[in-house]
Amino acid sequence: MSELVSVERDGAAAARSALERCVGEGGVAIFPADTVYGLACDPLGEAAVSRIHELKGRDEEKPSAVMFFSPLAMRELIATLGSRTRDALAALLPGPVTVVVANPERRYPLACREDPERLGVRLVDGPLAGAACALFQTSANRSGEPAPRSIADVDPALLGSADVAIDAGSLPGTHSTVVDVTAVDAGGGWRVLREGALSNDELERRLSR
């Protein structure tokens, strides 16, 4: 690891700048999401994405979400979506939810993998809110091991292999809920693919407005 940034010591602006710089230079970062710590890189950077899969020991064909820290950074993607999908995103994000949307323009193919017309997206708050970069992201653990709640929980080998690590203290430690809304613009419903930090009751409440 070449750089450790502490939100408490260095401030949120320094943390955002370090993340943006690392991703922009093709590096790999360990960062705080809203639920667990993650590994991240440029979602269009093939070498960096492959590096993350290698570090995790992860199947390269397994899809990942693309994470955003600002609604403005999502505007081009949102413009390709149907009105009901946009409404669902507005109801759920930002928050501890991964929303799988239809992806007719096949954006971010390195995250989609074998199903390029479906894409998981996240928008999160927290100390990195406002960062301009989109991230290919996955939890900062080796495959099959628990996702870390703090920098201290990250495997030392992973921590040592990252270009930047951002410490924001302890996080809740529960994975995001994954909800599929790909059918809503065709008149279909939504379905939960993975239960997580946002309860099914809260999903129902938000999506039935």
Side-chain angles (χ1 to χ4, degrees):
M1 178 184 63
S2 62
E3 183 178 7
L4 175 64
V5 180
S6 166
V7 172
E8 181 178 6
R9 181 191 66 225
D10 304 310
R16 289 192 294 271
S17 294
L19 180 67
E20 290 170 343
R21 182 176 66 255
C22 178
V23 171
E25 292 174 351
V28 169
I30 294 173
F31 77 102
D34 50 352
T35 55
V36 299
Y37 277 76
L39 282 167
C41 69
D42 179 355
L44 301 178
E46 188 168 359
V49 169
S50 292
R51 184 177 162 200
I52 283 180
H53 285 299
E54 182 177 354
L55 288 172
K56 281 182 65 84
R58 188 175 191 261
D59 179 0
E60 291 208 11
E61 294 308 310
K62 189 175 181 180
S64 294
V66 175
M67 179 177 283
F68 300 88
F69 298 94
S70 164
L72 287 177
M74 299 177 68
R75 62 188 183 278
E76 291 185 5
L77 172 64
I78 288 173
T80 71
L81 305 176
S83 61
R84 292 184 179 180
T85 299
R86 293 196 300 269
D87 289 344
L89 289 176
L92 295 173
L93 300 178
V97 187
T98 301
V99 187
V100 180
V101 300
N103 185 27
E105 296 193 0
R106 300 191 170 197
R107 293 173 179 266
Y108 303 112
L110 296 175
C112 301
R113 292 302 182 177
E114 65 181 15
D115 195 350
E117 295 195 359
R118 290 162 52 87
L119 173 67
V121 295
R122 298 210 61 206
L123 174 65
V124 300
D125 282 325
L128 299 177
C133 53
L135 301 182
F136 174 97
Q137 62 89 40
T138 180
S139 54
N141 57 283
R142 295 191 182 279
S143 290
E145 296 181 358
R149 298 180 61 241
S150 69
I151 283 290
D153 294 334
V154 177
D155 184 299
L158 280 180
L159 196 62
S161 298
D163 300 299
V164 170
I166 298 170
D167 184 358
S170 294
L171 300 175
T174 304
H175 281 291
S176 65
T177 298
V178 181
V179 58
D180 185 336
V181 301
T182 55
V184 297
D185 278 290
W190 52 272
R191 60 193 179 102
V192 175
L193 302 182
R194 182 182 73 190
E195 295 185 357
L198 194 71
S199 70
N200 288 357
D201 287 345
E202 181 63 11
L203 278 172
E204 180 73 41
R205 187 185 72 80
R206 294 190 187 189
L207 291 173
S208 64
R209 291 175 181 170

